[in-house]
Amino acid sequence: MAVEEEGLRVFQSVKIKIGEAKNIPPYPGPNKMRDCFCTVNLDQEEVFRTKIIEKSLCPFYGEDFYCEIPRSFRHLSFYIFDRDVFRRDFSIGKVAVKKEDLQKYHGKDTWFQLQPVSADSEVQGKVHLELRLSEVITDSGVINHKLATRVLECQGLPIVNGQCDPYAAVSLLGPSRSEAKKTKVKRKTNNPQFDEVFYFEVTRPLSYTKRQFDVEEEDVDKLALRVDLWNASNLKFGDEFLGGVRVPLRALGQAGVHDAWYFLQPRENGGKSVKVEELGSLRLNIVYTEDHVFPSEHYTPLRDLLLQSANVAPVSASPAHTLGEVCREKQEAAIPLVRLFLHYGKIVPFISTIAHAEVNRTQDPNTIFRGNSLTSKCIDETMKLAGMHYLQVTLKPIIDEICTDHKSCEIDPVKLKESENLETNRENLRQYVDRIFNVITTSGVRCPTVMCDIFFSLRESAATRFQVDQDVRYTAVSSFIFLRFFAPAILSPNLFHLRPHHPDPATSRTLTLISKTIQTLGSLAKSKSANFKESYMAAFYDYFNEQKYSDAVKNFLDLISTSGKWDQRSIETPIMLKEGFMIKRAQGRKRFGIKNFKKRWFRLTNHEFTYHKTKGESALCSIPIENILAVERLEEESFKMKNMFQVIQPERALYIQANNCVEARDWIDILTKVSQCNRKRLSTYHPSAYLNGHWLCCKLSADTASGCTPCTGGLPANIQLDVDGDRETERIYSLFSTYMTKLIKMQGQTPTRAHSPRLFSPFCAVAHSAAGLSLPAEACGSKSVYDGPEQEEYSSFVIDDPQETYKTLKLIVSAVQTLEQQHTKYKRDKFKKTKIGSQEHPIGDKSFQCYIRQQSESSTYSI
């Protein structure tokens, strides 16, 4: 979700690889092993959890998680939980990484020590305070100082045990005093509005005795105000601490006034005294990205340059190909390039051009598209985007069955358990392979058009390049559709959104055997049995050594490499898009129906949106997609519940609460996209619910009254290809900026002739081009090289046309530098406008000194 910021959109996303934990403390008792799982949290809100690893103190998870972050946050946290025999979950330890520290660990495998989990340290939210020091003249003429403390409001407090009934305790702390006062309790809200004022005497009035004060007059600089937030609880254990702040009175400055927002902090010495090394550690790889996307016109030069890549001859001199060469990993270039070209409808000509160039460089037809080139990575990414629903309808039903049934399919005699029968296992495996093979080879009609068009170009290029080899037109396509699409999806269904988690070890082994067999069946290789190193796999493959399997593969490949023949939108089969438990408010079809909240299993296909009492049961309610008029968030104040949204129908709205903010956004997005083309979609809606005879938002009494707020529609109808072109161009800019030193070196290095280093001018590079010589170095500029031998990172870069490459590099550098100036100006302006202590930039545990310095630089500081 984008955050608008003065014409600029800010996107946050995080990609996490949860590796493994080690040295988890053993369970007390005879059975020391634990059943552990790991959760990912934005502050205290859980947005993902791994599968449970049973009976291990060093659990290996190996799970990936990606999400767009829809709100501000302070910590990205990870918790390790243990599930006991009564299915109760107990936290063992946590890792909490501050948002500002995420870049330290960007893309690196890092071991984090688990920290103790304590209610006193689980803090989120912020508080708005106003302090004013004033002089009061007593009846006797003595001047006293009083501190007026106004607690205005809090935002983002945690919900404890399903509730949040907060109040604030305010104390003035000093060397000889500690006075405490409390606000009223605000019920059922984590964004309480207090607006209460408390007064504290700062200096000693004459009526006070020495017994009450140790000093005649206290030094204001030694005093501090403490505000603690508590959750009022009816439990016998007492109220729960939600967080607090300590404000030294020196923050008042000369003006004697202080008005600021503060981040709540953990209670001092609140955690238990547990040695950190006793809790174990967790291996994580975190990639946090924050994209600052300017208005579209800022990206026009770079975007137009990139989109012309297919027309640059040779394509190796194009901007898109250059990005693939300078990036450390081809995939980091392929992801934004594919999304950009898909968005502007130019992915087929671009991939066709780079694939044709790669085929022409390939000497052996048996190695066609076998490397991790830019071509192969771009096609992989295109298949993931355009073919995700194709996988859902083709593979998901049988993958679900395999994961549910747990049939034994081990055919390695060495790994066979005593209770298992080898022939039974072979038959189980054979049936699974046969069924998956059949659903794949009969699914050609469902293959998305964009994939068919790409496969058509691959087939034509390969057949033209290797005219003697009759099978190359098949292997060029099968190397992607089988080896890089179906086989990996079977092997790791969680990575392709076919399953929520990586399967258990036994099921994973079954899927591995199926994947290997399907991969070999699709390869159309000669002597297939010989392709298996394991003798048991070669023996098993004899089941499939029949002509009918080869014929089925060829017919399937012929079908999907026929350009433009099929259109995915014509598919009439319901495609399951998303499902899961959520809480819904009863719609009250009867006039006096009870409108309570129930947990239900929701299911969305391209035909209908349904909910069921539980998974697998018949639908309690079915909403045809054409009846969805809008899908929008529901304001929290409607039912005092977070993460709610509404599915608006002709006669009523269905109110639903998702499990967390990420799930809510996902459901809203996919429901909006799938219903985007409905002819009767609304242009306005009510952001709040209709309760007690009126709409809470606009107070209109008619339940049929037109909406008071514009809908947030405008999303493309095509679900898979929903891409923000400006954001992808921004990502490409970021990559070019990251690797700018490589671009500059490429522009400035001199060409060399085979193993004979010499110095050349730029005219010499052009002469090489005219002579038809390819240059193994990135030699496109005029600067001589004095740095010794060619650096390894450039050794594989081949320049087919130095003159054209040099022109491209100049254009890239110019476009990137222009955007760099925009970013620099934005950062400078934002820094000037940043006011520490404002609602957007609350004072944290490390920013108080910055606030004091900022205050001293401006005597007229205000929020």
Side-chain angles (χ1 to χ4, degrees):
M1 179 179 292
V3 177
E4 294 288 343
E5 206 173 274
E6 296 183 6
L8 177 138
R9 293 176 297 145
V10 182
F11 295 87
Q12 303 174 99
S13 63
V14 66
K15 182 170 66 174
I16 303 163
K17 290 183 181 294
I18 304 172
E20 59 189 307
K22 65 179 181 181
N23 301 328
I24 300 295
Y27 189 82
N31 180 17
K32 298 184 180 298
M33 295 294 104
R34 292 184 183 268
D35 298 342
C36 295
F37 63 92
C38 178
T39 68
V40 180
N41 296 57
L42 292 176
D43 296 319
Q44 291 184 48
E45 183 179 12
E46 181 184 319
V47 295
F48 177 75
R49 69 168 57 189
T50 67
K51 62 183 180 299
I52 296 174
I53 303 299
E54 298 179 347
K55 300 177 181 178
S56 175
L57 298 180
C58 296
F60 177 82
Y61 298 106
E63 296 203 37
D64 296 334
F65 173 65
Y66 171 85
C67 80
E68 299 280 339
I69 300 175
R71 62 169 176 83
S72 60
F73 69 101
R74 290 175 65 188
H75 293 88
L76 183 64
S77 303
F78 305 84
Y79 291 77
I80 297 291
F81 285 92
D82 175 39
R83 176 163 292 182
D84 67 11
V85 293
F86 301 106
R87 300 187 64 80
R88 295 174 302 185
D89 299 332
F90 295 94
S91 56
I92 296 174
K94 70 173 182 179
V95 172
V97 184
K98 290 185 178 180
K99 179 180 178 180
E100 57 267 29
D101 293 336
L102 287 171
Q103 286 301 321
K104 296 180 185 177
Y105 311 105
H106 187 84
K108 304 173 185 174
D109 270 7
T110 306
W111 283 99
F112 293 90
Q113 289 289 339
L114 291 173
Q115 304 294 326
V117 176
S118 165
D120 290 339
S121 67
E122 303 298 292
V123 168
Q124 67 183 57
K126 53 190 176 183
V127 61
H128 187 188
L129 303 175
E130 182 183 286
L131 281 64
R132 186 179 299 272
L133 192 64
S134 56
E135 293 182 346
V136 179
I137 302 177
T138 64
D139 294 339
S140 59
V142 176
I143 298 177
N144 283 348
H145 290 87
K146 285 196 174 184
L147 176 68
T149 302
R150 186 181 178 194
V151 183
L152 288 97
E153 61 178 312
C154 292
Q155 288 187 357
L157 297 179
I159 295 175
V160 182
N161 297 323
Q163 70 164 25
C164 189
D165 298 330
Y167 68 89
V170 185
S171 306
L172 182 63
L173 308 176
S176 59
R177 68 166 73 188
S178 177
E179 302 175 55
K181 302 178 182 182
K182 297 180 181 179
T183 67
K184 295 177 182 177
V185 175
K186 299 295 180 179
R187 298 289 177 183
K188 296 182 179 180
T189 177
N190 64 339
N191 298 310
Q193 301 279 336
F194 294 111
D195 201 8
E196 294 190 39
V197 182
F198 302 97
Y199 294 93
F200 297 92
E201 291 196 4
V202 176
T203 54
R204 176 180 68 86
L206 292 176
S207 59
Y208 282 17
T209 64
K210 289 274 186 178
R211 184 178 178 184
Q212 292 168 301
F213 278 82
D214 293 336
V215 292
E216 289 191 2
E217 186 173 306
E218 294 196 71
D219 185 353
V220 171
D221 285 345
K222 294 180 181 179
L223 299 178
L225 186 82
R226 177 152 192 97
V227 179
D228 290 330
L229 273 297
W230 295 84
N231 180 45
S233 174
N234 295 324
L235 301 176
K236 62 180 180 180
F237 304 109
D239 297 346
E240 294 97 350
F241 177 73
L242 300 180
V245 295
R246 186 178 185 276
V247 185
L249 292 201
R250 68 176 184 274
L252 294 166
Q254 295 295 322
V257 179
H258 176 67
D259 185 350
W261 283 85
Y262 279 83
F263 278 127
L264 295 176
Q265 303 295 334
R267 185 153 53 180
E268 296 175 3
N269 302 319
K272 300 176 182 178
S273 57
V274 179
K275 293 182 179 178
V276 172
E277 59 271 16
E278 292 179 356
L279 297 178
S281 54
L282 179 65
R283 180 167 60 88
L284 301 167
N285 188 308
I286 304 171
V287 177
Y288 171 72
T289 305
E290 195 171 283
D291 296 322
H292 294 78
V293 181
F294 292 102
S296 188
E297 59 269 16
H298 290 77
Y299 298 101
T300 301
L302 180 59
R303 180 175 58 240
D304 291 350
L305 192 63
L306 290 160
L307 293 176
Q308 290 301 314
S309 292
N311 302 325
V312 176
V315 72
S316 61
S318 69
H321 193 276
T322 301
L323 179 66
E325 293 299 318
V326 299
C327 286
R328 188 179 301 276
E329 300 288 343
K330 293 285 191 290
Q331 188 171 7
E332 64 179 339
I335 291 173
L337 283 174
V338 164
R339 295 175 69 87
L340 181 70
F341 281 101
L342 272 170
H343 181 66
Y344 289 99
K346 296 192 175 185
I347 189 65
V348 175
F350 171 63
I351 287 183
S352 298
T353 305
I354 60 175
H356 184 73
E358 182 171 331
V359 168
N360 286 340
R361 287 195 296 267
T362 303
Q363 302 301 318
D364 184 354
N366 294 318
T367 62
I368 194 166
F369 299 126
R370 287 295 194 268
N372 287 322
S373 63
L374 181 64
T375 303
S376 61
K377 291 298 183 184
C378 282
I379 297 176
D380 288 352
E381 195 60 32
T382 303
M383 291 191 299
K384 279 184 180 179
L385 282 172
M388 196 58 69
H389 298 142
Y390 177 37
L391 280 178
Q392 291 275 343
V393 73
T394 305
L395 290 183
K396 183 171 173 54
I398 190 168
I399 295 291
D400 285 342
E401 182 182 326
I402 292 169
C403 293
T404 303
D405 289 353
H406 299 293
K407 287 184 179 179
S408 180
C409 295
E410 182 56 72
I411 59 173
D412 183 354
V414 176
K415 296 181 179 179
L416 205 66
K417 297 178 181 177
E418 291 184 6
S419 59
E420 294 176 345
N421 180 277
L422 182 60
E423 289 305 317
T424 302
N425 288 6
R426 278 179 180 165
E427 180 59 21
N428 290 340
L429 184 61
R430 188 191 65 78
Q431 289 182 10
Y432 280 146
V433 170
D434 248 337
R435 289 175 59 190
I436 287 183
F437 179 81
N438 287 332
V439 297
I440 290 174
T441 53
T442 58
S443 68
V445 67
R446 296 172 181 159
C447 188
T449 304
V450 68
M451 290 171 61
C452 292
D453 290 343
I454 290 171
F455 295 151
F456 174 76
S457 68
L458 299 182
R459 175 186 179 128
E460 292 298 299
S461 293
T464 303
R465 175 74 173 89
F466 301 104
Q467 297 181 15
V468 177
D469 191 327
Q470 294 299 310
D471 281 342
V472 74
R473 66 185 187 274
Y474 295 118
T475 55
V477 178
S478 68
S479 62
F480 287 103
I481 194 69
F482 278 102
L483 273 64
R484 293 175 175 266
F485 188 62
F486 283 123
I490 296 167
L491 183 66
S492 303
N494 56 307
L495 298 183
F496 290 79
H497 306 294
L498 299 177
R499 296 289 296 176
H501 301 294
H502 193 72
D504 61 79
T507 305
S508 183
R509 172 65 175 166
T510 297
L511 295 175
T512 299
L513 296 172
I514 295 171
S515 178
K516 292 173 72 171
T517 310
I518 291 295
Q519 180 175 321
T520 306
L521 278 168
S523 68
L524 293 172
K526 312 293 190 295
S527 304
K528 293 170 186 172
S529 296
N531 290 337
F532 295 105
K533 297 177 182 178
E534 308 94 338
S535 58
Y536 62 86
M537 283 301 298
F540 174 71
Y541 194 81
D542 286 339
Y543 285 122
F544 307 97
N545 219 348
E546 299 178 25
Q547 188 62 36
K548 67 176 184 178
Y549 290 101
S550 296
D551 291 343
V553 170
K554 288 183 178 181
N555 290 336
F556 170 68
L557 296 174
D558 279 333
L559 187 59
I560 65 171
S561 58
T562 303
S563 179
K565 185 172 181 179
W566 306 106
D567 187 346
Q568 187 186 7
R569 288 171 293 182
S570 66
I571 301 170
E572 294 300 325
T573 306
I575 300 173
M576 205 289 292
L577 303 176
K578 188 173 178 63
E579 58 184 345
F581 277 112
M582 291 189 289
I583 295 172
K584 71 146 191 96
R585 182 176 185 256
Q587 298 182 82
R589 286 185 171 78
K590 297 179 182 178
R591 186 174 181 182
F592 300 104
I594 300 175
K595 295 184 175 68
N596 53 2
F597 289 88
K598 296 282 188 179
K599 186 176 182 180
R600 293 289 182 254
W601 179 263
F602 284 81
R603 192 170 188 271
L604 174 67
T605 72
N606 57 328
H607 289 184
E608 60 182 355
F609 182 48
T610 59
Y611 60 79
H612 316 246
K613 189 169 185 179
T614 188
K615 184 178 181 181
E617 291 193 5
S618 58
L620 297 174
C621 177
S622 173
I623 303 172
I625 294 302
E626 57 267 24
N627 283 0
I628 298 178
L629 306 184
V631 185
E632 299 287 348
R633 293 187 179 276
L634 187 70
E635 288 184 352
E636 186 178 323
E637 292 304 313
S638 295
F639 299 107
K640 307 294 184 184
M641 296 167 69
K642 297 172 70 67
N643 305 318
M644 290 201 72
F645 64 95
Q646 51 184 317
V647 179
I648 304 171
Q649 308 164 68
E651 296 180 357
R652 64 180 65 86
L654 174 61
Y655 299 133
I656 303 171
Q657 183 187 37
N659 298 318
N660 55 62
C661 62
V662 173
E663 275 287 300
R665 190 215 57 228
D666 287 347
W667 275 106
I668 292 170
D669 283 353
I670 197 165
L671 279 163
T672 300
K673 293 167 192 172
V674 80
S675 62
Q676 190 65 39
C677 289
N678 291 349
R679 293 190 300 274
K680 296 182 180 180
R681 278 189 65 85
L682 298 176
S683 58
T684 59
Y685 78 106
H686 293 283
S688 292
Y690 184 82
L691 292 174
N692 302 321
H694 68 275
W695 294 100
L696 298 182
C697 43
C698 57
K699 308 305 179 185
L700 293 175
S701 57
D703 60 353
T704 57
S706 298
C708 57
T709 303
C711 287
T712 59
L715 295 168
N718 191 326
I719 295 173
Q720 307 116 317
L721 309 184
D722 176 29
V723 174
D724 186 327
D726 294 336
R727 186 181 182 188
E728 301 309 324
T729 312
E730 167 66 24
R731 286 173 166 171
I732 292 171
Y733 149 75
S734 296
L735 288 171
F736 273 133
S737 183
T738 300
Y739 295 106
M740 180 56 74
T741 53
K742 288 189 178 183
L743 290 170
I744 298 297
K745 287 180 181 179
M746 286 169 58
Q747 203 177 12
Q749 291 255 8
T750 55
T752 58
R753 187 187 295 270
H755 310 297
S756 302
R758 294 176 57 189
L759 301 181
F760 289 87
S761 71
F763 302 103
C764 187
V766 177
H768 269 67
S769 177
L773 298 176
S774 288
L775 304 178
E778 61 293 1
C780 303
S782 57
K783 193 177 76 170
S784 299
V785 181
Y786 299 104
D787 298 332
E790 185 183 73
Q791 295 184 22
E792 185 180 351
E793 59 184 341
Y794 295 109
S795 58
S796 62
F797 191 87
V798 176
I799 298 173
D800 297 314
D801 188 330
Q803 186 178 28
E804 194 65 35
T805 305
Y806 184 59
K807 284 167 33 179
T808 297
L809 289 169
K810 284 185 66 178
L811 292 170
I812 292 172
V813 171
S814 174
V816 170
Q817 288 177 342
T818 300
L819 277 169
E820 186 69 45
Q821 291 170 3
Q822 294 288 339
H823 279 272
T824 302
K825 181 178 183 301
Y826 160 72
K827 291 175 183 176
R828 184 171 59 246
D829 292 346
K830 184 177 180 181
F831 179 77
K832 288 180 180 178
K833 295 176 182 177
T834 297
K835 294 294 184 183
I836 299 173
S838 65
Q839 186 173 357
E840 295 76 20
H841 302 282
I843 298 172
D845 53 349
K846 294 182 179 178
S847 58
F848 182 75
Q849 294 301 326
C850 296
Y851 171 81
I852 295 297
R853 185 167 60 251
Q854 195 177 67
Q855 230 190 356
S856 65
E857 292 171 357
S858 174
S859 59
T860 59
Y861 170 78
S862 63
I863 293 181

